[in-house]
Amino acid sequence: IQGLVPGELKNFYLVAWTLGVEAIFYVLVPLGAWAARRLARGGPVPLDRLVEGILGLWCVAVAFSISLAVAFPLHAGRPLPGGVQVLALVGSLANFCPGMLVFLALAAREDQASRWRHRYDAVASRPLPTLAVAGLLFVAATELPFQTSQLATAAQDPLLGVASGLVLAAFVHGEWTRPVARVIAPVGLVSYGVYLWHWVILSALGHYKILILGGSGNLATVVRAAVLVALTLPVATLSWLLLERPLLELAASDAVRG
C-alpha cells in the first residue's frame, strides 16, 4: 500500500513497489470484468473481443507510460516527484497483458472460429524462432539507458513484455517443454519469494563488500543473476514452507468456515 502514497514508493522495501502494481491490478480486473459483462448485456463475451480489449489496454498503458516519461523526464540527482511515481504504477499494468493474452489463447483452443487462436498457434508451435526473437528483444531492452532515461524505461517495458509473452507461449505449447517444466515448476512455486528475498541477500552482500563476479556486459550479468538465484532459492524455499504456505492454508480454512 505504501507504493500508492506519493514519495513512499521505494522507501519501505525497494522491491516491494511491485505490490502496488498488483493492488491496482486486483482492483481493476473485477471492475473490468463487470464493465465487459454490462457491455455484453449479461451474455457471454466473445473471446476475440476479450483479446482485443486486452490489446487495447496494453497499448493505452504503454502510451500512458511514454507520455508520462516525456512530460516528466528523469534528471540526474533528482528523483521523480512522488505523484509521478504513483502514476507510473498505472503504466506498469501493461506487464500483466502478455500473460492474460497467453491464457486467452489457450482458452481459445476449443474455439475453432477464433482468429487469435490460429495466430497464437502459428507462433507458439515454433519454439526455436519464437525463443530467438524473445532473446533479441530481451537484449535490446537491456541495452536501453533505462537507468538514466525515463523514456528508455517506458520503451523497455513493452519490449520485455513481448519477450516474456513469447517465452511463456513457447513453454506452455506442445510436449517438448514437459521435461523442463518438471524441473522448473517447483522454482515457480517459490518464485515470488525469490524476488522478495533476493534484495535482502544482495543488500547483505553489498554491506559486507562481497562481489559476485566482476566484469560487465550481458554475460557477466547473467552469471551474477544465476549465482544470486542459487543463493536465494534455499531462503525462498524455507520462506514458502514456514511462512507463505501456512498462511495460505490458514486463509483457505477461514474461507471454508466463512
Side-chain angles (χ1 to χ4, degrees):
I1 301 301
Q2 88 282 349
L4 304 178
V5 179
E8 298 296 322
L9 179 62
K10 299 180 180 179
N11 287 345
F12 177 66
Y13 182 58
L14 180 63
V15 297
W17 69 269
T18 58
L19 297 176
V21 181
E22 292 190 23
I24 297 173
F25 177 78
Y26 290 125
V27 169
L28 290 183
V29 164
L31 293 176
W34 174 82
R37 192 65 183 267
R38 287 294 300 270
L39 290 173
R41 299 181 179 179
V45 181
L47 198 137
D48 283 349
R49 288 284 182 87
L50 289 175
V51 171
E52 290 164 359
I54 293 174
L55 288 173
L57 173 65
W58 195 353
C59 292
V60 168
V62 171
F64 182 82
S65 295
I66 292 175
S67 300
L68 200 64
V70 172
F72 299 94
L74 188 64
H75 298 286
R78 289 172 52 190
L80 289 172
V84 176
Q85 293 182 20
V86 174
L87 289 174
L89 295 180
V90 177
S92 297
L93 290 173
N95 298 327
F96 291 92
C97 293
M100 290 192 290
L101 289 172
V102 171
F103 169 79
L104 289 178
L106 293 174
R109 284 188 171 182
E110 302 303 322
D111 183 1
Q112 298 295 331
S114 173
R115 64 181 183 275
W116 292 108
R117 170 186 177 270
H118 299 295
R119 294 175 182 177
Y120 169 82
D121 285 342
V123 173
S125 62
R126 297 173 174 83
L128 290 180
T130 298
L131 293 176
V133 171
L136 290 174
L137 290 174
F138 178 78
V139 171
T142 57
E143 292 299 320
L144 292 174
F146 59 91
Q147 294 179 328
T148 57
S149 169
Q150 189 69 2
L151 187 58
T153 301
Q156 183 188 57
D157 285 346
L159 291 177
L160 292 175
V162 173
S164 301
L166 291 174
V167 171
L168 180 61
F171 269 83
V172 300
H173 186 91
E175 299 291 329
W176 72 278
T177 58
R178 291 188 184 277
V180 180
R182 292 192 190 99
V183 176
I184 64 176
V187 178
L189 191 64
V190 300
S191 59
Y192 202 71
V194 171
Y195 171 72
L196 291 177
W197 282 105
H198 91 277
W199 184 252
V200 176
I201 294 175
L202 189 62
S203 299
L205 292 173
H207 177 76
Y208 290 104
K209 297 180 173 56
I210 300 175
L211 180 65
I212 304 179
L213 187 69
S216 59
N218 289 325
L219 179 60
T221 300
V222 169
V223 174
R224 279 195 292 268
V227 173
L228 185 58
V229 169
L231 293 174
T232 309
L233 267 177
V235 180
T237 302
L238 287 175
S239 175
W240 165 255
L241 294 175
L242 301 179
L243 181 63
E244 297 171 54
R245 188 170 67 176
L247 289 175
L248 289 172
E249 291 174 349
L250 180 62
S253 62
D254 287 344
V256 171
R257 287 198 299 267

